[in-house]
Amino acid sequence: MDDNLFEVEETGLRDSFLASVGARVKFRRNKSRISRRVLSERSGVSERFLAQLEHGKGNISIVRLKAVADALDIPLCDLVRDERAPREDPVELPGWRAHPGAIADLYRHATARDQARVIELLVGSRRPVPA
């Protein structure tokens, strides 16, 4: 195998990952409506480095990235999730058991969109499981 090819692929993956992390930081900062200066003050990471990070050029340490996530008031995993990995939304099971009539009442008063999602979930749960 050509070692140079591996280095090029690895560099491309790294650059792509850094660019996606930077884009997430910028998106969350803009969503929070805070400037780089404010994020810098809250996180202890310089404005210049934040600019590099947001443009995919800064290779930030995990500790500094955690400080940025904390300053944005978001979990670190929101900044470093792997887009290639299949994503499953966590299922939260209620800690209570409702009477079937109460469930029907909740459904009856739900929006049309929420009712459609309930039907989709129920129909999806009846699909055969692949062997």
Side-chain angles (χ1 to χ4, degrees), residues 43-55:
S43 67
V45 176
S46 74
E47 282 184 71
R48 183 175 179 193
F49 190 81
L50 287 171
Q52 290 175 343
L53 175 65
E54 289 182 356
H55 288 95

Side-chain angles (χ1 to χ4, degrees), residues 16 20 22 27 30-31 37-38 45 55-56 58 63 76 86-87 90 95 102 107 109-110 117 119 124 126-128 130:
S16 174
S20 66
F27 173 80
N30 288 333
K31 187 175 179 182
R37 175 174 285 159
V38 171
V45 176
H55 288 95
V63 173
L76 177 62
R87 189 163 183 208
Y107 177 81
H109 291 90
R117 289 183 65 204
I119 291 169
R126 296 189 54 111
R127 291 188 183 132

Side-chain angles (χ1 to χ4, degrees), residues 18-38:
L18 290 174
S20 66
V21 169
R24 288 187 196 106
V25 168
K26 184 175 184 176
F27 173 80
R28 296 307 282 248
R29 181 178 61 76
N30 288 333
K31 187 175 179 182
S32 298
R33 297 180 182 217
I34 61 174
S35 67
R36 270 195 205 121
R37 175 174 285 159
V38 171

